[in-house]
mmCIF file of all heavy atoms in Angstrom:
data_model
loop_
_atom_site.group_PDB
_atom_site.id
_atom_site.type_symbol
_atom_site.label_atom_id
_atom_site.label_comp_id
_atom_site.label_asym_id
_atom_site.label_seq_id
_atom_site.Cartn_x
_atom_site.Cartn_y
_atom_site.Cartn_z
ATOM 1 N N LEU A 133 152.358 67.271 123.274
ATOM 2 C CA LEU A 133 152.059 68.108 122.146
ATOM 3 C C LEU A 133 152.969 69.319 122.202
ATOM 4 O O LEU A 133 153.540 69.703 121.157
ATOM 5 C CB LEU A 133 150.630 68.590 122.158
ATOM 6 C CG LEU A 133 150.158 69.402 120.966
ATOM 7 C CD1 LEU A 133 150.190 68.602 119.707
ATOM 8 C CD2 LEU A 133 148.760 69.996 121.218
ATOM 9 N N TRP A 134 153.135 69.897 123.352
ATOM 10 C CA TRP A 134 154.074 71.034 123.527
ATOM 11 C C TRP A 134 155.478 70.617 123.084
ATOM 12 O O TRP A 134 156.138 71.355 122.386
ATOM 13 C CB TRP A 134 154.145 71.459 124.999
ATOM 14 C CG TRP A 134 153.276 72.629 125.264
ATOM 15 C CD1 TRP A 134 152.107 72.655 125.985
ATOM 16 C CD2 TRP A 134 153.495 73.957 124.850
ATOM 17 N NE1 TRP A 134 151.598 73.915 126.027
ATOM 18 C CE2 TRP A 134 152.420 74.754 125.311
ATOM 19 C CE3 TRP A 134 154.481 74.569 124.071
ATOM 20 C CZ2 TRP A 134 152.305 76.110 125.051
ATOM 21 C CZ3 TRP A 134 154.413 75.936 123.796
ATOM 22 C CH2 TRP A 134 153.346 76.698 124.311
ATOM 23 N N THR A 135 155.892 69.446 123.558
ATOM 24 C CA THR A 135 157.257 68.971 123.264
ATOM 25 C C THR A 135 157.440 68.896 121.712
ATOM 26 O O THR A 135 158.449 69.407 121.174
ATOM 27 C CB THR A 135 157.479 67.663 123.881
ATOM 28 O OG1 THR A 135 157.275 67.755 125.280
ATOM 29 C CG2 THR A 135 158.923 67.129 123.645
ATOM 30 N N ALA A 136 156.438 68.250 121.121
ATOM 31 C CA ALA A 136 156.587 67.991 119.674
ATOM 32 C C ALA A 136 156.584 69.320 118.874
ATOM 33 O O ALA A 136 157.377 69.581 117.957
ATOM 34 C CB ALA A 136 155.463 67.089 119.180
ATOM 35 N N LEU A 137 155.613 70.178 119.226
ATOM 36 C CA LEU A 137 155.438 71.402 118.414
ATOM 37 C C LEU A 137 156.445 72.515 118.679
ATOM 38 O O LEU A 137 156.800 73.282 117.840
ATOM 39 C CB LEU A 137 154.031 71.997 118.623
ATOM 40 C CG LEU A 137 152.885 71.068 118.131
ATOM 41 C CD1 LEU A 137 151.506 71.760 118.295
ATOM 42 C CD2 LEU A 137 153.083 70.645 116.681
ATOM 43 N N SER A 138 157.028 72.413 119.903
ATOM 44 C CA SER A 138 158.001 73.485 120.218
ATOM 45 C C SER A 138 159.299 73.264 119.443
ATOM 46 O O SER A 138 160.153 74.179 119.396
ATOM 47 C CB SER A 138 158.269 73.550 121.682
ATOM 48 O OG SER A 138 158.708 72.331 122.165
ATOM 49 N N ALA A 139 159.484 72.115 118.820
ATOM 50 C CA ALA A 139 160.627 71.867 118.024
ATOM 51 C C ALA A 139 160.556 72.520 116.636
ATOM 52 O O ALA A 139 161.458 72.459 115.813
ATOM 53 C CB ALA A 139 160.925 70.420 117.871
ATOM 54 N N LEU A 140 159.370 73.086 116.346
ATOM 55 C CA LEU A 140 159.077 73.574 114.990
ATOM 56 C C LEU A 140 158.974 75.032 114.930
ATOM 57 O O LEU A 140 158.715 75.720 115.940
ATOM 58 C CB LEU A 140 157.737 72.958 114.474
ATOM 59 C CG LEU A 140 157.611 71.440 114.601
ATOM 60 C CD1 LEU A 140 156.238 71.050 114.091
ATOM 61 C CD2 LEU A 140 158.686 70.752 113.845
ATOM 62 N N THR A 141 159.147 75.566 113.727
ATOM 63 C CA THR A 141 158.867 76.982 113.521
ATOM 64 C C THR A 141 157.336 77.178 113.438
ATOM 65 O O THR A 141 156.627 76.192 113.266
ATOM 66 C CB THR A 141 159.500 77.517 112.176
ATOM 67 O OG1 THR A 141 158.776 76.911 111.118
ATOM 68 C CG2 THR A 141 160.958 77.188 112.076
ATOM 69 N N GLU A 144 155.880 75.873 110.281
ATOM 70 C CA GLU A 144 155.887 74.414 110.176
ATOM 71 C C GLU A 144 154.728 73.866 111.092
ATOM 72 O O GLU A 144 154.068 72.935 110.650
ATOM 73 C CB GLU A 144 157.194 73.855 110.707
ATOM 74 C CG GLU A 144 158.365 74.048 109.722
ATOM 75 C CD GLU A 144 159.713 73.709 110.316
ATOM 76 O OE1 GLU A 144 159.800 73.658 111.543
ATOM 77 O OE2 GLU A 144 160.643 73.567 109.498
ATOM 78 N N ARG A 145 154.531 74.456 112.273
ATOM 79 C CA ARG A 145 153.478 74.035 113.114
ATOM 80 C C ARG A 145 152.118 74.160 112.416
ATOM 81 O O ARG A 145 151.294 73.233 112.470
ATOM 82 C CB ARG A 145 153.435 74.803 114.383
ATOM 83 C CG ARG A 145 154.383 74.453 115.430
ATOM 84 C CD ARG A 145 154.306 75.403 116.590
ATOM 85 N NE ARG A 145 155.589 75.479 117.242
ATOM 86 C CZ ARG A 145 156.036 76.566 117.870
ATOM 87 N NH1 ARG A 145 155.331 77.671 117.910
ATOM 88 N NH2 ARG A 145 157.225 76.545 118.398
ATOM 89 N N ALA A 179 159.257 68.914 109.193
ATOM 90 C CA ALA A 179 158.578 69.159 110.446
ATOM 91 C C ALA A 179 158.292 67.846 111.195
ATOM 92 O O ALA A 179 158.445 67.724 112.398
ATOM 93 C CB ALA A 179 157.251 69.930 110.184
ATOM 94 N N ARG A 182 161.485 66.352 112.739
ATOM 95 C CA ARG A 182 161.963 67.115 113.899
ATOM 96 C C ARG A 182 160.994 66.902 115.115
ATOM 97 O O ARG A 182 161.447 66.790 116.251
ATOM 98 C CB ARG A 182 162.101 68.579 113.570
ATOM 99 C CG ARG A 182 163.381 68.889 112.963
ATOM 100 C CD ARG A 182 164.064 70.148 113.535
ATOM 101 N NE ARG A 182 163.181 71.301 113.466
ATOM 102 C CZ ARG A 182 163.011 72.009 112.331
ATOM 103 N NH1 ARG A 182 163.581 71.603 111.234
ATOM 104 N NH2 ARG A 182 162.224 73.030 112.311
ATOM 105 N N ALA A 183 159.701 66.939 114.847
ATOM 106 C CA ALA A 183 158.772 66.768 115.909
ATOM 107 C C ALA A 183 158.885 65.435 116.568
ATOM 108 O O ALA A 183 158.855 65.265 117.781
ATOM 109 C CB ALA A 183 157.341 67.003 115.440
ATOM 110 N N GLN A 184 158.970 64.418 115.705
ATOM 111 C CA GLN A 184 159.149 63.003 116.225
ATOM 112 C C GLN A 184 160.461 62.916 117.046
ATOM 113 O O GLN A 184 160.499 62.269 118.102
ATOM 114 C CB GLN A 184 159.132 61.976 115.077
ATOM 115 C CG GLN A 184 159.124 60.541 115.549
ATOM 116 C CD GLN A 184 157.921 60.157 116.398
ATOM 117 O OE1 GLN A 184 156.786 60.243 115.883
ATOM 118 N NE2 GLN A 184 158.070 59.758 117.654
ATOM 119 N N ALA A 185 161.522 63.510 116.522
ATOM 120 C CA ALA A 185 162.790 63.460 117.225
ATOM 121 C C ALA A 185 162.688 64.120 118.596
ATOM 122 O O ALA A 185 163.242 63.637 119.588
ATOM 123 C CB ALA A 185 163.912 64.163 116.400
ATOM 124 N N ALA A 186 161.950 65.233 118.635
ATOM 125 C CA ALA A 186 161.753 65.936 119.941
ATOM 126 C C ALA A 186 160.986 64.986 120.887
ATOM 127 O O ALA A 186 161.273 65.043 122.088
ATOM 128 C CB ALA A 186 160.998 67.257 119.719
ATOM 129 N N LEU A 187 159.990 64.349 120.429
ATOM 130 C CA LEU A 187 159.249 63.406 121.259
ATOM 131 C C LEU A 187 160.131 62.326 121.763
ATOM 132 O O LEU A 187 160.129 62.050 122.993
ATOM 133 C CB LEU A 187 158.091 62.816 120.451
ATOM 134 C CG LEU A 187 156.818 63.650 120.243
ATOM 135 C CD1 LEU A 187 155.844 62.819 119.388
ATOM 136 C CD2 LEU A 187 156.176 63.963 121.572
#
Side-chain angles (χ1 to χ4, degrees):
Chain A
L133 184 66
W134 260 111
T135 304
L137 295 184
S138 58
L140 308 180
T141 67
E144 288 169 343
R145 280 178 208 148
R182 277 225 302 285
Q184 185 64 60
L187 280 177

